[in-house]
Amino acid sequence: MEMKDVLKQGIEAAVEKALADGKLPAGTYPEVVLEVPPQKEFGDFSTNIAMQSARVAKMNPRAIADTLIANMDYPWLDKAEVAGAGFINFFVKSDMVYDSLKAALLAGENYGNAPLREEDTVQVEYVSANPTGPLHVGHGRGAAYGSALVNLLRAAGYNVSSEYYINDAGKQIDNLAKSVNARYLELLDMKFEFPENGYHGQDIVETAQSIINWRGDFFAVIPETDRLPFFREFALTEKLNALRVTLRKFNVEFDKWFSERQIHRDGELKEAVQFLKDTGDVYEKDGALWLASTRYGDDKDRVVIRENGEPTYLAADIAYHRNKYERGYKKMINVWGADHHGYVARVKAAMQAFGYNPDNLEVLLLQMVALYRDGEMVKMSKRTGQAITLDELMEEVGVDAARYFFLMRSLDSQLDFDINLAASKSNDNPVYYIQYAHARIHSIFNQAKEAGISYGDWEHTSYDSLTADIELELIKKLAAYPEEIAQSALHRAPHRIARYLYDLASMFHSFYKQGRIMGVEPELQQARLGLITVIANVLKHGLGVLGISAPEKM
């Protein structure tokens, strides 16, 4: 059992004892929540249970805290102190610390993973960029965040399914076909008119050229009405395949690719709109059909079917999200760009109109990314003169650095991405610094192997020779890792793992400088080899959560 769980049970037992002795009044007390304090002088763990219980007990929080401490007499607890308005800070004895190290070693590379809870189903939909061109840097942040969140939730025991919603119906796909058509005619030196809302990227020119390379001017003599459907499917297939390749290169895989066309083809869109008409939540005005979203907190009602009978994007999204609810997930998480802020209320309004709980749909909004090179903001690619693509960024700084830099800030803060720093192979680069710690540990393993030193019998290794402050701090840091995974998942915060890994790597580098691992007395050597084994396991596990490699050589 982890140190935190033992302490939590101890506090719960203290509450029960205080209730039985009449030191606390009867009532339903809140669940005990433990946090790791930001500074070691506040102890190994801290809880606000006394403050949370004040309303139930009708007592001063500090008095509750004193009562709980008086009822906690455990051999593994060094001391407990009341702080501030009623926090309780716990300091555990070294024996407990050593037990946590042993437990982590016995868990091996699985340390940090919670058991799978089949019933805790979560669907995470992210990226879902229109398949009309290459992914840019903004999509890259969403891809890194979404995939890391999926990994994090899985590590925390949630039953997760990831999904990409393909917007392969509607005007954007028609405009894609018209754009390819215009470039196709242009490349053949024929008369053309570029569509008003067309796509101007170099990739459209390349798509048109690939059609010419394949069939020359074959399509030029075909009526445009016959040519466009082919160009639509050709371009859509090409763009979607390119998206898949880029995402795979970026360590992003989806369990499901959901086509918008399915919503239209299966009649789900019409059925959804008709359902809302029948309930009175969709009404007709000026020849169009409107969702009465103001009934559910939106600032105004929204068009779902235009006067010409064409559905809006909202209509398809309503049907798609209804489909999600019908699939029965406990929680659905959408990762959208900040520009979709106004869209959240109307989709939730529609779900409420269907009778679903809108709180089951959680929308996370990513803020913008600003790229910097040599201290100057970079807006355009030198190669194409257009927005920098994710492929170009990966080519310049590498997949690992790109992912770490996207993930090292919380999603609700603007991200300034320093290309020079991300591309550097120095300890100033945080991902390099973390990976170097992992590689350095493996070089020590290789030294032990070359010296013929046997280790790994963690059940019978003695750890009480680890008495230096840095060693005890490292063990406590490692003991906090499973809780860090749980809290990071709960708060949808992969950046916490990025920060944790950096702090752990920094502590390891300090430890490495302070004391030898090889060439000390055998008992201490075994204990230190055990300590760095857990550090390596946690670094690898955490980097894996972030979708970043853990090299053994650098």
Side-chain angles (χ1 to χ4, degrees), residues 251-480:
N251 297 335
V252 177
E253 295 280 356
F254 289 92
D255 297 315
K256 186 176 181 66
W257 294 73
F258 190 105
S259 167
E260 182 188 343
R261 290 181 178 184
Q262 178 182 327
I263 295 291
H264 296 265
R265 185 179 61 244
D266 295 351
E268 291 183 61
L269 189 149
K270 287 183 179 177
E271 186 185 316
V273 173
Q274 186 60 51
F275 181 96
L276 295 176
K277 280 179 73 177
D278 293 344
T279 60
D281 289 299
V282 162
Y283 63 90
E284 189 172 345
K285 187 180 82 172
D286 301 329
L289 293 181
W290 296 69
L291 173 69
S293 50
T294 49
R295 292 182 185 176
Y296 304 99
D298 197 6
D299 60 342
K300 63 180 180 180
D301 291 348
R302 309 288 176 173
V303 176
V304 287
I305 305 293
R306 299 182 182 92
E307 293 173 60
N308 61 5
E310 288 292 316
T312 61
Y313 288 124
L314 178 59
D317 279 338
I318 288 171
Y320 171 52
H321 283 85
R322 186 190 190 204
N323 179 289
K324 285 189 184 188
Y325 272 89
E326 288 293 309
R327 283 186 260 165
Y329 299 106
K330 274 193 176 177
K331 177 68 75 173
M332 289 152 286
I333 300 172
N334 289 352
V335 182
W336 289 348
D339 56 337
H340 283 69
H341 180 268
Y343 209 70
V344 178
R346 64 195 78 164
V347 173
K348 287 199 169 200
M351 296 307 103
Q352 197 169 348
F354 284 124
Y356 300 125
N357 182 353
D359 293 336
N360 290 351
L361 175 63
E362 183 180 344
V363 181
L364 305 174
L365 298 174
L366 285 161
Q367 294 301 316
M368 302 294 288
V369 178
L371 290 177
Y372 288 85
R373 183 188 285 112
D374 302 327
E376 300 285 329
M377 188 183 287
V378 183
K379 291 189 176 178
M380 297 295 177
S381 162
K382 290 181 181 178
R383 188 182 307 172
T384 64
Q386 291 158 339
I388 293 178
T389 66
L390 179 56
D391 281 312
E392 287 176 302
L393 186 68
M394 283 191 282
E395 188 180 313
E396 185 161 358
V397 307
V399 172
D400 288 343
R403 287 189 64 97
Y404 188 89
F405 275 63
F406 281 137
L407 292 167
M408 67 183 182
R409 300 278 180 268
S410 64
L411 83 163
D412 55 1
S413 61
Q414 173 157 330
L415 177 66
D416 293 339
F417 191 117
D418 186 333
I419 292 174
N420 301 86
L421 181 58
S424 71
K425 305 294 184 191
S426 74
N427 285 338
D428 293 330
N429 180 345
V431 70
Y432 181 90
Y433 186 68
I434 295 165
Q435 290 176 319
Y436 182 53
H438 185 263
R440 180 174 254 178
I441 291 170
H442 277 271
S443 74
I444 297 167
F445 292 157
N446 289 335
Q447 290 172 38
K449 187 177 178 181
E450 288 168 9
I453 295 167
S454 175
Y455 63 96
D457 181 7
W458 308 126
E459 184 72 57
H460 299 101
T461 298
S462 174
Y463 304 101
D464 55 12
S465 56
L466 299 172
T467 56
D469 285 347
I470 186 63
E471 292 169 333
L472 293 172
E473 285 174 33
L474 271 166
I475 299 171
K476 290 174 183 178
K477 183 74 173 176
L478 294 166

Side-chain angles (χ1 to χ4, degrees), residues 152-164:
L152 179 56
L153 289 167
R154 284 179 177 152
Y158 296 87
N159 186 2
V160 186
S161 176
S162 60
E163 187 157 304
Y164 188 115

Side-chain angles (χ1 to χ4, degrees), residues 83-339:
F87 284 100
I88 308 175
N89 295 332
F90 297 98
F91 300 77
V92 298
K93 287 185 177 175
S94 297
D95 287 351
M96 182 74 169
V97 174
Y98 299 140
D99 286 346
S100 74
L101 177 60
K102 181 178 177 180
L105 280 162
L106 294 177
E109 292 191 355
N110 199 44
Y111 183 63
N113 288 334
L116 173 65
R117 301 182 300 277
E118 292 277 0
E119 72 282 2
D120 278 345
T121 54
V122 180
Q123 190 227 43
V124 183
E125 182 222 324
Y126 63 102
V127 184
S128 296
N130 287 343
T132 53
L135 297 174
H136 57 63
V137 168
H139 297 132
R141 187 179 193 188
Y145 176 83
S147 56
L149 180 61
V150 168
N151 295 338
L152 179 56
L153 289 167
R154 284 179 177 152
Y158 296 87
N159 186 2
V160 186
S161 176
S162 60
E163 187 157 304
Y164 188 115
Y165 178 55
I166 310 167
N167 296 108
D168 53 3
K171 290 197 176 300
Q172 78 277 6
I173 302 301
D174 292 336
N175 287 332
L176 174 63
K178 291 174 183 176
S179 303
V180 171
N181 179 59
R183 294 305 188 201
Y184 175 79
L185 296 174
E186 181 184 25
L187 288 169
L188 292 173
D189 293 324
M190 298 176 68
K191 184 179 178 183
F192 72 96
E193 186 176 337
F194 204 83
E196 183 181 350
N197 296 314
Y199 298 101
H200 294 267
Q202 179 62 28
D203 63 293
I204 301 296
V205 178
E206 292 166 2
T207 299
Q209 186 62 58
S210 66
I211 295 172
I212 293 171
N213 294 344
W214 176 47
R215 297 299 298 271
D217 61 358
F218 173 81
F219 295 100
V221 296
I222 296 174
E224 187 172 289
T225 52
D226 296 332
R227 185 166 67 233
L228 285 175
F230 174 82
F231 283 0
R232 183 188 299 113
E233 297 311 307
F234 185 96
L236 178 61
T237 300
E238 184 185 76
K239 301 304 171 202
L240 201 50
N241 286 340
L243 286 180
R244 290 177 191 266
V245 169
T246 297
L247 289 168
R248 198 170 295 125
K249 200 190 313 179
F250 200 50
N251 297 335
V252 177
E253 295 280 356
F254 289 92
D255 297 315
K256 186 176 181 66
W257 294 73
F258 190 105
S259 167
E260 182 188 343
R261 290 181 178 184
Q262 178 182 327
I263 295 291
H264 296 265
R265 185 179 61 244
D266 295 351
E268 291 183 61
L269 189 149
K270 287 183 179 177
E271 186 185 316
V273 173
Q274 186 60 51
F275 181 96
L276 295 176
K277 280 179 73 177
D278 293 344
T279 60
D281 289 299
V282 162
Y283 63 90
E284 189 172 345
K285 187 180 82 172
D286 301 329
L289 293 181
W290 296 69
L291 173 69
S293 50
T294 49
R295 292 182 185 176
Y296 304 99
D298 197 6
D299 60 342
K300 63 180 180 180
D301 291 348
R302 309 288 176 173
V303 176
V304 287
I305 305 293
R306 299 182 182 92
E307 293 173 60
N308 61 5
E310 288 292 316
T312 61
Y313 288 124
L314 178 59
D317 279 338
I318 288 171
Y320 171 52
H321 283 85
R322 186 190 190 204
N323 179 289
K324 285 189 184 188
Y325 272 89
E326 288 293 309
R327 283 186 260 165
Y329 299 106
K330 274 193 176 177
K331 177 68 75 173
M332 289 152 286
I333 300 172
N334 289 352
V335 182
W336 289 348
D339 56 337

